[in-house]
Amino acid sequence: MINTSSAAVPASNALSFFRVLGKLKELKRTGWVNHGIPLPESVADHMYRMSMITFVIQEKSVNKDKLMKICMVHDLAESIVGDITPYDGITKEEKRKLEEDAMKKILQDIGNEEISNEIMTLWLEYEQGVSIEADLARQLDKLEMILQANEYEILHPEKDLSRFFTSTADSFTHPQILEWANALREERNVRRSQLQSKEGKL
């Protein structure tokens, strides 16, 4: 029975929810695993940097608290279904159904309708991209990914993670995020050119 009052969530329900969140600290991001990255980041790692980046967004029309919350919940379903990528042979429709069912299960177990509705509303908003905050969160999701790809290439020079940069080539429209993405790509291009030049002299 869902508690519809403003009373505190029972401790047993809260602890169960906290354990679900803990699974995101253990779940490694599939893209890095598939590329053989040693000690790849977790889903929670990814969402944390996304959320912190929201502090630097400077636009008066953006509700930054809401944006941060969307970043914090957007991959919550992965605690049950895992990190499904476009290369896993699962359609967007199937992925959406799996994740929505997982969200309903997670939120029902909290036992508080007010809290569950807030989280589900934020998650659906991200999925549907129906607000400026949802759109920015989607762009930050891609930005954080290429930030991490660049860092892994620096740590592991033998790895070529160009796929992540190619797939996000047209993903950024917000001026500030686009500026960051372009600056990152320029840094990467300079680094790769210097590396190729060095290798050519060996």
Side-chain angles (χ1 to χ4, degrees):
M1 185 71 177
I2 293 180
N3 174 19
T4 60
S5 74
S6 59
V9 175
S12 60
N13 295 63
L15 291 175
S16 177
F17 179 57
F18 302 159
R19 292 185 185 103
V20 169
L21 300 178
K23 292 179 181 179
L24 297 173
K25 297 170 65 176
E26 301 170 1
L27 180 62
K28 304 305 181 185
R29 297 260 283 166
T30 302
W32 311 133
V33 173
N34 290 346
H35 280 77
I37 300 296
L39 301 175
E41 69 166 347
S42 69
V43 173
D45 294 331
H46 163 66
M47 291 198 297
Y48 177 74
R49 179 154 59 177
M50 269 184 71
S51 300
M52 290 301 295
I53 291 173
T54 65
F55 278 107
V56 195
I57 293 289
Q58 295 173 298
E59 185 173 330
K60 291 183 179 180
S61 63
V62 174
N63 182 333
K64 291 174 66 172
D65 289 342
K66 181 180 178 182
L67 174 59
M68 182 180 291
K69 286 183 176 181
I70 291 175
C71 290
M72 291 170 65
V73 307
H74 82 286
D75 280 340
L76 179 56
E78 294 182 9
S79 61
I80 291 180
V81 303
D83 182 17
I84 301 170
T85 76
Y87 306 99
D88 290 334
I90 296 177
T91 67
K92 289 183 178 181
E93 292 74 20
E94 291 171 328
K95 179 177 183 288
R96 170 64 183 273
K97 178 67 165 56
L98 288 169
E99 292 185 341
E100 188 164 349
D101 288 347
M103 288 295 293
K104 290 177 181 177
K105 173 66 169 63
I106 292 167
L107 299 179
Q108 182 179 22
D109 291 347
I110 292 177
N112 183 291
E113 190 172 36
E114 182 180 354
I115 294 171
S116 298
N117 285 345
E118 179 183 15
I119 295 175
M120 180 59 91
T121 298
L122 292 165
W123 183 82
L124 286 172
E125 196 167 312
Y126 176 83
E127 287 293 304
Q128 297 165 0
V130 294
S131 67
I132 185 173
E133 291 82 12
D135 180 61
L136 290 181
R138 288 181 168 204
Q139 294 185 50
L140 291 179
D141 182 54
K142 299 291 194 301
L143 177 71
E144 202 289 323
M145 182 179 71
I146 61 173
L147 279 165
Q148 190 62 67
N150 187 62
E151 290 164 6
Y152 281 146
E153 285 187 336
I154 293 171
L155 284 172
H156 310 288
E158 74 282 4
K159 298 292 184 181
D160 182 356
L161 301 176
S162 296
R163 170 191 286 184
F164 297 92
F165 291 89
T166 302
S167 67
T168 57
D170 300 316
S171 297
F172 309 109
T173 57
H174 184 273
Q176 204 172 5
I177 301 175
L178 179 60
E179 181 182 7
W180 297 335
N182 287 340
L184 178 65
R185 291 177 190 277
E186 180 60 30
E187 283 186 7
R188 179 176 183 262
N189 289 338
V190 170
R191 172 177 55 79
R192 285 166 63 85
S193 294
Q194 291 174 342
L195 182 61
Q196 291 171 358
S197 177
K198 183 178 178 180
E199 290 175 346
K201 294 177 181 179
L202 294 179

